[in-house]
Amino acid sequence: MTRFVLRRLAVAVPLLLIVAAISFFLVQLVPGSPAAAILGNTATQEQVDTLEQSLGLDQPVLSQFGQWLGHALQGNLGASYTTGQSVSDALAQSVAPTLSLAILSTLLTLVVGLVLGMAAAVRGGRTDRLVQWTGSLGMAIPNFWLAALLIFVFAIKLSLFPAIGYAELGTDGIGPWISHLVLPIIALSAVNLGQIAFQARAAFTDALSRDYVRTLHATGVPRRRVLYKHVLRNASVPVVQVTGLTFIFTLGGVVVLELIFTLPGMGNLMLRSVQNHDFSVVQGGVLYFSLVVVLVNLVIDVATAALDPRVRVR
Amino acid sequence: MHLPQQTRILRAAVATCGAVALTVGLAACGSSDSGGSGGSGGDDALTVSTIGPVPAFWNPYEPGAPTTTFLDPVYDTLIHYGKDGELQPWLATSWEFTDPTTLELKLRDDVTFTDGATFDADAVKANFQYAIDHKANFADQVFLANIASMNVVDPTTIDLTLTQPNPALPYDFSQASGYMASPKALAAPDGLKQEPVGSGPYVLDTGATRPGVSYVFTANPDYWAADEDAFPYDKVTLSVIADPTAAKNAAATGEVDALVVQPGTEISGFEQVTSLSGDQAGMTGAWLDTTGTTTKALADVRVRQALNYAIDREKLGQAAYQDTAIAVPGVPVPEGDPAYTDELGALYPYDPAKAKQLLAEAGYADGFEMTLISLPPADQFAQAIAGQLKEVGVTVNVETHAADLVQAVQSGTRSAGLVLQRLTGDAGQDLATAFDPNAFFNVHHGSAPEVTDLLQQAAQTSDESARNALYQQAAVAGAESSWYIATLVLQTITAYDPDVVSVEPPDRGAIHLYDYHLPS
């Protein structure tokens, strides 16, 4: 298993390099220069040229990439053009809100989705219809609309949660931290919940119809044990895989919610950086996202192997 | 046997959902004492929402320096700009033109910068010298080029010798050009990248600040003017909220005490004031290539005037800016400005017949075609202009540029473009900026010699009423030259929580931090 993990991480290195190169050359295609963005619309060409020179943007693109890569390999991702902050610091600060949101939302959808899917498959009938109806509704509601509604009701009218912002888990404590995340998590989870519940329902229905379940029942194994020890484990494999994909899509989709809730996360940072031509931050952000995707895929593979002995990791 | 097992599963489901609900409930309870953590928290804290741009560094004298929003808390200006446009002593106790080209500044002797350096005439000289050497901000260049030499008379007196008379100079010292940084910090300017070093009422709390997200300032314990009722808050937070709806929500939940809002926005319990200054305020309209290099017709002043007659500015303002914009006749001079006259106000009433007549006289009875550069947020405005000009036979092709706006303008291939010129509160300066031959859009070097001559005469006139008379003539001459069409002055609407703050903007010019008072 350790060898498997190490090999997967080793394979990730060239992948990250390719992603870094592609993103570096792609951002060069964006019209306009960071210097012009910093200096504003009224700057003279001379001022733009001077600033470009001091930022090293007058160098050939290949040489810029070489320099960036050289520094990146030493752990130095450069400094933001627009805030002067080091890119590593900016990313480190932004990763926490985004990962908090994505992980908590994924855990919530996984647990609730599994329970709902299981209940729908086991009980059938009215419960099944209710779960399907609720899941469909969740998927049909646009999350930005739900976010606006949640803010209006729970932040503005009932004053239960803050409307915007983020509190640090380390410095502000767990109460403020979670209270800033509740509304974004609900808005983000609504769509994913339906997907996970449907996947869980299908997986449970499939597992429950298998011969081994009938055999287990016939040999007198208690139903509860059949469900939790055998069916749950088998049904979890596809659910875990869908959850992993959902998590990755969630990371990409948090931008809108981070904007609505003014969460200082990766989505907001990347959006602001793209708008301001802050290429060094964009570049660093793409690397972080790629790394997270690689790690999540690895975790899914390991989890799948742990749940299903037929999947061998080599 | 079958039923109880199903019930157990259901129980598990209910228990899980219950646990989630409990967590949410606990979090809600936790938020009651933390909901205001991002906001005011008490009478002595102020949170202002801003859309940026955020500071890339804290040196006030480098190109791309922070805006006054961010510099006001940490740097003092030499002079304050009063509510009625009157200049008030601040770091400079008095100022006087001893002759038309010599400005004598008398300075305070009790001011220390946060790094321990003393504020004196040498510090002022060091600031201006740094700004001149580093070509400072675009806006400062005009006045910096004006300083020929500086003479430190004694620690509290400095004489500035000017290349030409400029009565607006003291006004400049109340704006971005007047911020005083520590001379020690300017000598090793790398330190100003991460932290400001001024003598201002607040210091940047670098620990609590999150660049690009929120900037926290705490009261400077050694502030020289602490006794004056100018900066009453112990803590000022500038919260960067890009989305107007999010900012409004933050205000509604008490997390933000003051913010700039879009026309038509209402926030329960908040009061609103309008000002002629701000990030999105100033004269908007379209500049024209007056040389006719791109579109021959525009070289003819009759054609340009025709375009102004063809625009219904009132209707344009209603359509694009919900009636909060003030129509002005081609110059950045609204009613109440010293350069305003009834003659100016009567120019360019909406008169399409007159427009057609002028076009015919110029030989363009069948109209002509031109391009207009627009920006995404102002597209509605650009399309409305195009629509109105279509009525008199002029076809306007609107081109929207965002990231490549500067390149599009500088390429010199477009005949017109939208512009937003901030109003400074100084009539001469506003007119000079509008008709500056070096304006960024004036790629083909058009000129308005009559306007620049009158402004130059005004600069050499020390008598205020005589100077204003020249400004008035310059404004009419500028309007008649029709450099700009479809001109409106956009106002900034600032909403504030009257329990926390009272915002009292100056009659003209920019809102500064000292315009935020405790509620009476």
Side-chain angles (χ1 to χ4, degrees):
Chain A
M1 178 70 96
T2 316
R3 273 184 60 198
F4 166 78
V5 172
L6 286 176
R7 205 170 58 241
R8 284 291 298 269
L9 286 177
V11 171
V13 174
L15 181 75
L16 290 179
L17 268 179
I18 292 168
V19 170
I22 291 175
S23 68
F24 190 92
F25 293 110
L26 269 182
V27 292
Q28 304 298 324
L29 297 177
V30 178
S33 91
I38 294 168
L39 294 174
N41 295 339
T42 52
T44 62
Q45 192 58 44
E46 187 196 353
Q47 286 178 319
V48 174
D49 291 345
T50 313
L51 189 60
E52 283 197 339
Q53 206 176 342
S54 74
L55 293 173
L57 295 169
D58 57 334
Q59 305 283 320
V61 177
L62 267 180
S63 126
Q64 284 184 49
F65 180 65
Q67 276 182 14
W68 177 84
L69 194 61
H71 289 141
L73 288 175
Q74 296 166 41
N76 174 10
L77 293 174
S80 158
Y81 299 143
T82 46
T83 64
Q85 196 184 19
S86 94
V87 173
S88 309
D89 285 354
L91 291 172
Q93 283 182 351
S94 307
V95 155
T98 302
L99 284 189
S100 304
L101 183 56
I103 291 173
L104 289 180
S105 163
T106 306
L107 281 179
L108 179 76
T109 46
L110 180 63
V111 172
V112 179
L114 259 181
V115 170
L116 290 180
M118 196 159 120
V122 173
R123 293 206 63 168
R126 196 180 290 169
T127 312
D128 189 17
R129 282 198 296 278
L130 188 68
V131 168
Q132 291 203 48
W133 189 82
T134 315
S136 303
L137 187 71
M139 286 198 280
I141 295 175
N143 60 11
F144 56 86
W145 181 84
L146 181 61
L149 187 74
L150 289 171
I151 289 176
F152 181 73
V153 176
F154 293 101
I156 296 176
K157 288 290 165 201
L158 300 176
S159 302
L160 285 174
F161 301 102
I164 62 149
Y166 176 72
E168 303 271 354
L169 179 60
T171 49
D172 301 305
I174 191 160
W177 174 69
I178 197 92
S179 77
H180 279 89
L181 288 173
V182 168
L183 299 184
I185 285 173
I186 295 174
L188 191 58
S189 304
V191 176
N192 299 339
L193 185 64
Q195 286 175 7
I196 303 282
F198 287 167
Q199 187 65 45
R201 178 184 168 276
F204 275 102
T205 309
D206 177 56
L208 284 169
S209 68
R210 291 300 173 98
D211 291 343
Y212 71 85
V213 176
R214 196 183 53 201
T215 311
L216 286 166
H217 280 310
T219 53
V221 179
R223 185 176 167 81
R224 186 177 164 185
R225 198 163 159 205
V226 174
L227 268 181
Y228 289 117
K229 191 166 160 52
H230 301 277
V231 176
L232 178 62
R233 184 165 182 160
N234 278 294
S236 293
V237 176
V239 176
V240 164
Q241 284 175 341
V242 170
T243 306
L245 287 177
T246 308
F247 179 80
I248 290 167
F249 285 125
T250 299
L251 275 184
V254 294
V255 179
V256 176
L257 286 178
E258 285 187 6
L259 201 66
I260 295 172
F261 289 100
T262 319
L263 280 172
M266 292 286 284
N268 245 331
L269 179 73
M270 293 293 275
L271 184 68
R272 199 172 64 229
S273 305
V274 169
Q275 283 171 342
N276 294 329
H277 296 79
D278 202 340
F279 296 155
S280 50
V281 179
V282 174
Q283 190 69 11
V286 169
L287 261 193
Y288 264 50
F289 270 126
S290 317
L291 193 65
V292 170
V293 171
V294 167
L295 289 178
V296 168
N297 281 333
L298 183 63
V299 169
I300 294 168
D301 287 350
V302 172
T304 307
L307 284 169
D308 188 349
R310 289 169 302 178
V311 179
R312 294 170 65 189
V313 287
R314 277 186 295 196
Chain B
M1 174 130 184
H2 186 67
L3 196 64
Q5 280 155 349
Q6 280 192 338
T7 312
R8 271 190 218 117
I9 294 166
L10 201 63
R11 263 191 213 142
V14 171
T16 313
C17 294
V20 171
L22 188 66
T23 316
V24 169
L26 281 173
C29 296
S31 78
S32 59
D33 56 2
S34 64
S37 65
S40 51
D43 282 343
D44 52 0
L46 175 71
T47 302
V48 180
S49 164
T50 170
I51 55 164
V54 300
F57 48 80
W58 290 94
N59 188 330
Y61 286 121
E62 291 283 353
T67 57
T68 52
T69 308
F70 289 92
L71 294 178
D72 270 346
V74 285
Y75 293 104
D76 277 317
T77 48
L78 285 170
I79 294 170
H80 260 193
Y81 185 83
K83 179 160 169 51
D84 52 0
E86 199 75 11
L87 298 179
Q88 296 167 352
W90 203 244
L91 287 181
T93 52
S94 68
W95 50 94
E96 188 191 354
F97 283 97
T98 51
D99 64 62
T101 55
T102 307
L103 177 65
E104 183 190 79
L105 293 168
K106 290 277 186 191
L107 309 169
R108 297 191 71 94
D109 59 3
D110 56 352
V111 180
T112 311
F113 292 99
T114 49
D115 63 352
T118 307
F119 170 76
D120 56 14
D122 282 321
V124 175
K125 186 177 177 182
N127 272 271
F128 288 152
Q129 196 57 54
Y130 186 93
I132 291 164
D133 292 347
H134 289 77
K135 296 194 170 165
N137 265 325
F138 183 79
D140 303 332
Q141 300 252 353
V142 183
F143 99 93
L144 286 171
N146 218 328
I147 298 176
S149 66
M150 293 176 275
N151 177 31
V152 174
V153 180
D154 61 54
T156 59
T157 313
I158 183 167
D159 286 348
L160 306 178
T161 308
L162 311 179
T163 52
Q164 58 180 33
N166 181 1
L169 209 50
Y171 163 79
D172 282 315
F173 294 152
S174 72
Q175 304 299 317
S177 313
Y179 288 117
M180 289 290 116
S182 158
K184 208 159 93 184
L186 286 173
D190 272 0
L192 289 172
K193 279 187 177 159
Q194 297 298 329
E195 223 173 319
V197 188
S199 64
Y202 299 95
V203 285
L204 180 72
D205 182 347
T206 48
T209 290
R210 297 195 53 188
V213 179
S214 69
Y215 295 79
V216 181
F217 302 90
T218 49
N220 176 359
D222 305 318
Y223 191 47
W224 61 273
D227 296 341
E228 301 202 24
D229 187 30
F231 301 98
Y233 297 95
D234 291 331
K235 188 170 111 177
V236 172
T237 305
L238 295 173
S239 193
V240 184
I241 306 178
D243 180 43
T245 310
K248 188 186 155 192
N249 289 338
T253 53
E255 286 157 276
V256 159
D257 306 316
L259 69 162
V260 170
V261 293
Q262 303 288 322
T265 308
E266 290 287 336
I267 302 170
S268 169
F270 272 53
E271 290 180 6
Q272 296 189 348
V273 282
T274 55
S275 57
L276 295 175
S277 67
D279 289 336
Q280 294 303 316
M283 182 184 80
T284 191
W287 54 263
L288 301 173
D289 168 21
T290 56
T291 64
T293 313
T294 49
T295 303
K296 195 166 153 256
L298 293 176
D300 193 321
V301 71
R302 289 170 298 183
V303 171
R304 302 200 299 270
Q305 287 176 346
L307 299 187
N308 258 323
Y309 279 113
I311 295 284
D312 184 345
R313 294 192 303 278
E314 303 285 344
K315 205 167 149 192
L316 197 62
Q318 281 168 9
Y321 298 104
Q322 281 86 45
D323 220 6
T324 56
I326 303 163
V328 285
V331 280
V333 180
E335 208 172 336
D337 191 290
Y340 184 87
T341 50
D342 290 341
E343 183 195 359
L344 181 76
L347 283 173
Y348 305 126
Y350 174 53
D351 190 347
K354 172 107 178 166
K356 282 182 182 162
Q357 183 202 330
L358 282 167
L359 283 171
E361 280 173 21
Y364 294 96
D366 297 332
F368 62 95
E369 204 172 320
M370 59 186 274
T371 50
L372 173 72
I373 297 177
S374 168
L375 279 157
D379 258 345
Q380 201 185 353
F381 181 55
Q383 294 296 349
I385 293 174
Q388 294 195 356
L389 293 183
K390 186 84 196 157
E391 299 291 311
V392 295
V394 177
T395 306
V396 179
N397 302 314
V398 177
E399 275 184 26
T400 305
H401 293 269
D404 60 339
L405 180 75
V406 177
Q407 286 93 328
V409 173
Q410 304 269 334
S411 70
T413 53
R414 276 74 163 190
S415 36
L418 293 188
V419 70
L420 178 67
Q421 183 195 327
R422 287 185 196 163
L423 299 193
T424 62
D426 182 88
Q429 186 151 330
D430 288 344
L431 282 167
T433 308
F435 294 94
D436 181 2
N438 298 318
F440 80 104
F441 58 79
N442 194 6
V443 185
H444 299 295
H445 311 293
S447 62
E450 198 186 341
V451 182
T452 33
D453 282 354
L454 284 163
L455 290 176
Q456 208 136 30
Q457 283 179 46
Q460 288 165 9
T461 309
S462 50
D463 177 62
E464 197 178 333
S465 62
R467 196 164 67 226
N468 284 343
L470 288 162
Y471 285 155
Q472 289 165 0
Q473 288 176 41
V476 171
E480 283 175 344
S481 76
S482 268
W483 269 41
Y484 301 91
I485 58 163
T487 44
L488 301 169
V489 168
L490 305 184
Q491 302 191 87
T492 298
I493 306 166
T494 305
Y496 60 91
D497 180 353
D499 292 337
V500 180
V501 63
S502 164
V503 183
E504 294 164 25
D507 297 342
R508 305 176 62 234
I511 291 189
H512 284 275
L513 187 58
Y514 51 75
D515 297 317
Y516 288 79
H517 304 279
L518 282 176
S520 49

